[in-house]
Amino acid sequence: MATERTLSIIKPDATSRNLTGKINAKFEEAGLRIIAQKRIKLTKAQAGTFYEVHKERPFYDELCDFMASGPVVVQVLEGEGAIAKNREVMGATNPAEAAPGTIRAEFAESVGENSVHGSDAPETAAVEISYFFAGIELVG
Ligand code: CMP
C-alpha cells in the first residue's frame, strides 16, 4: 500500500477537555506519523469554507459555530494507507456507532461534537492539507 498523507483536526470539544495528547497517542500507536501540527482558532467563515461541501445540510450552521467555538489542532498524518487507517482509528462519525477503542468511541460527545475530523479520500486530503499548511511546513 502507498504512503499517504491525510488532514486531521482535533475539534474544540477535545481540546477543551485536554485530550490532544491522548488522541495523538492513538494516531502514533496505529503507526501514523504526525508530520505537521498547529493549534489555531478558526473564525466561523474559515470553518464555513473548510466544510463548504456540507453547506446545504441542516447541521451546517451548527457545525461552523462549533468549529469556531474554541481552539482546534490541525495536523497532517502520514503513513501507509493513512487516509483509511485514520478513519479506522477515529471510528464512525456518530460515537454511538463507533467501534470500541476508537477515538470517537472513547472521547466523542455526540455526532456534532465528535472530537476529530479526517479526510475521506486522496483528492479531499490534498485540498484540506493545502487549506491549512504550506508545503514547506510538511516535514515527513
Ligand atoms: P466530520 O468528519 O468533521 O465531517 C462533517 C461533520 O459534520 C461531521 O464530522 C460531524 O461532526 C458533523 N455532522 C454530521 N452529521 C451531523 C448531524 N446530524 N448533526 C450535527 N453535526 C453533524
Side-chain angles (χ1 to χ4, degrees):
M1 194 173 284
T3 298
E4 292 177 336
R5 290 175 174 178
T6 190
L7 191 276
S8 165
I9 306 179
I10 302 178
K11 298 186 179 185
D13 67 284
T15 61
S16 67
R17 287 176 289 144
N18 224 14
L19 292 171
T20 299
K22 285 188 173 146
I23 289 173
N24 279 347
K26 295 269 194 196
F27 295 141
E28 293 184 340
E29 281 159 14
L32 292 163
R33 187 171 290 277
I34 301 163
I35 63 161
Q37 175 167 260
K38 56 192 171 192
R39 180 173 162 109
I40 57 176
K41 188 158 186 303
L42 295 172
T43 64
K44 187 174 179 180
Q46 288 167 336
T49 301
F50 180 78
Y51 279 118
E52 200 143 32
V53 65
H54 294 304
K55 72 170 180 284
E56 303 306 330
R57 305 280 193 97
F59 57 80
Y60 179 68
D61 195 56
E62 183 190 330
L63 173 62
C64 296
D65 277 334
F66 167 61
M67 291 300 286
S69 69
V72 296
V73 175
V74 294
Q75 45 193 192
V76 179
L77 309 179
E78 184 181 81
E80 280 202 11
I83 296 166
K85 188 176 279 183
N86 181 38
R87 294 178 72 77
E88 224 178 276
V89 175
M90 289 192 299
T93 304
N94 183 347
E97 293 162 12
T102 61
I103 292 169
R104 285 166 171 160
E106 286 193 17
F107 303 126
E109 303 194 296
S110 66
V111 69
E113 305 200 3
N114 63 354
S115 301
V116 279
H117 165 83
S119 307
D120 63 4
E123 302 72 30
T124 44
V127 171
E128 291 182 358
I129 289 170
S130 66
Y131 189 66
F132 291 112
F133 294 96
I136 200 168
E137 295 177 288
L138 308 179
V139 183

